[in-house]
Amino acid sequence: MYKLIFLITCSIFSNTYSQNKQFKVLDKKDKNPLNDVLFYSNDKVIAKSNKYGVIKLDNKNYGNLFIVKEDYYDTIINLELLQSDEIYLKKIDVIELKEVIVRKKNIESILDSVYSNSITLKKINPTKYLHFFNVLTTQSDTLLFANNRVAFIKGRGCFIERENKIISNFTQKNSNPVFSLSNHNIIFNKNFTHSNSPINSFELMIVTKLKDKFLFSIFEEEDFYQIKFEPKVTNNEYPYSGYIIVDKSDFGVYEFKAEVSIKKNKRNLVLENKILNFQILTETSYIKYKKDINGNYELIKYAYDSELKVLNGFFKDRIFINKCRKELTPYFDTSSMVPFDVITYKTNYNHEKKLLKQYHF
């Protein structure tokens, strides 16, 4: 009798154990665990890693799974073919230039070409499948949140999966989002909806258009120009320092990085007939493209991080934090997705109008 009970207990334990598979998701380079990694089966999230990088999956034959994490290349795996319980993701790293030689070049002419290419979207491939992560918070309040994959269907516009809820506490006024919090409104110099194309992002436009506000130096490799920049002493509003890596043949952008380099900076704008002042605590913008065999550029990653402090008004001393990521993701099933307006963040509306800029979101 005891033997029978023991066998039944073992059988139950064995069946329960076999119903689950456990894996750990790690950074490929430093082997650190990665939290909040999303695992998709077709268009459904079936698991998310915990703070230790661990996920548990039912013992099913899912076929191919999509692994999505901001700042990392999206990956496709098949659990049946895995030979380990560890899954490694590769971070989207910057280009490392090998041999750099200083040259005298017409920097302004190169920057003018970069600016012209950016505003016209010259040789920029439409991004068809994208992982979009964007969050704007202050204290315990969330004004914006999206962590979804989006698809751009030619002639129809943008569509978004319904897996994660979208938070959008703002209305549009004069093409700018006005956020509502505690029955008060607030707006920012930066459009935190990030509805524009990365290649004509605000930071890249500032550096390439307002050249008199920066000091430039240029370096040259076989196929690239690397233009480094830093703010002039008088540039307290947008004191960016960083670099642009540009193709020598067509002036396409491979990489762009800009960050606020001085602490004493202030921006202001007019809200409800009053001047609202901000101090920028941190701000970093990063763009990465790759060039295909046809000579066109495809987005790999757009990353933006910002912390700003309100200096006056109702929200005085409040710190607002924004983090945005746009990253290329492989093809996925879009049959259950819903229309999404990248400007208003609204879904489920008649969205058949063709908007070229949105295809480059």
Side-chain angles (χ1 to χ4, degrees), residues 212 235 280:
D212 60 328
N235 183 2
I280 309 304

Side-chain angles (χ1 to χ4, degrees), residues 34 41 52 97 126 188 250 304 344:
L34 299 176
S41 176
Y52 305 107
L97 297 181
F188 305 96
D250 58 19
Y304 178 84
T344 66

Side-chain angles (χ1 to χ4, degrees), residues 130-166:
L130 193 71
H131 173 216
F132 179 50
F133 177 92
N134 191 29
V135 58
L136 174 64
T137 60
T138 176
Q139 297 178 357
S140 59
D141 297 305
T142 300
L143 302 177
L144 273 177
F145 178 80
N147 186 16
N148 305 67
R149 293 182 300 177
V150 297
F152 297 86
I153 302 175
K154 188 174 182 180
R156 298 181 62 195
C158 179
F159 288 75
I160 195 166
E161 64 185 6
R162 291 175 283 186
E163 189 62 42
N164 293 318
K165 182 180 179 181
I166 297 171

Side-chain angles (χ1 to χ4, degrees), residues 260-301:
V260 170
S261 56
I262 61 175
K263 296 299 181 183
K264 293 183 179 180
N265 59 82
K266 186 171 70 173
R267 298 175 191 170
N268 58 62
L269 48 77
V270 177
L271 174 62
E272 297 170 354
N273 298 320
K274 296 181 181 180
I275 296 177
L276 186 62
N277 295 306
F278 301 96
Q279 180 185 359
I280 309 304
L281 304 179
T282 62
E283 185 177 26
T284 304
S285 176
Y286 175 74
I287 305 168
K288 184 180 181 70
Y289 280 84
K290 70 175 181 180
K291 193 173 184 179
D292 65 17
I293 59 174
N294 297 316
N296 296 318
Y297 292 84
E298 184 174 40
L299 176 68
I300 298 298
K301 177 179 180 178

Side-chain angles (χ1 to χ4, degrees), residues 158-162 334-341 347-349:
C158 179
F159 288 75
I160 195 166
E161 64 185 6
R162 291 175 283 186
T334 62
S335 59
S336 62
M337 301 179 78
V338 295
F340 177 63
D341 188 324
T347 60
N348 293 317
Y349 69 104

Side-chain angles (χ1 to χ4, degrees), residues 58-96:
D58 293 336
N59 191 17
K60 297 179 181 178
N61 183 11
Y62 289 104
N64 289 335
L65 294 180
F66 292 82
I67 306 177
V68 177
K69 170 68 176 175
E70 67 273 11
D71 296 325
Y72 289 81
Y73 287 101
D74 290 353
T75 304
I76 302 176
I77 64 167
N78 190 308
L79 297 181
E80 304 302 319
L81 302 179
L82 281 182
Q83 299 179 351
S84 170
D85 60 357
E86 294 181 342
I87 300 171
Y88 293 96
L89 298 185
K90 182 180 179 182
K91 199 163 191 175
I92 303 175
D93 292 323
V94 300
I95 294 175
E96 294 184 5

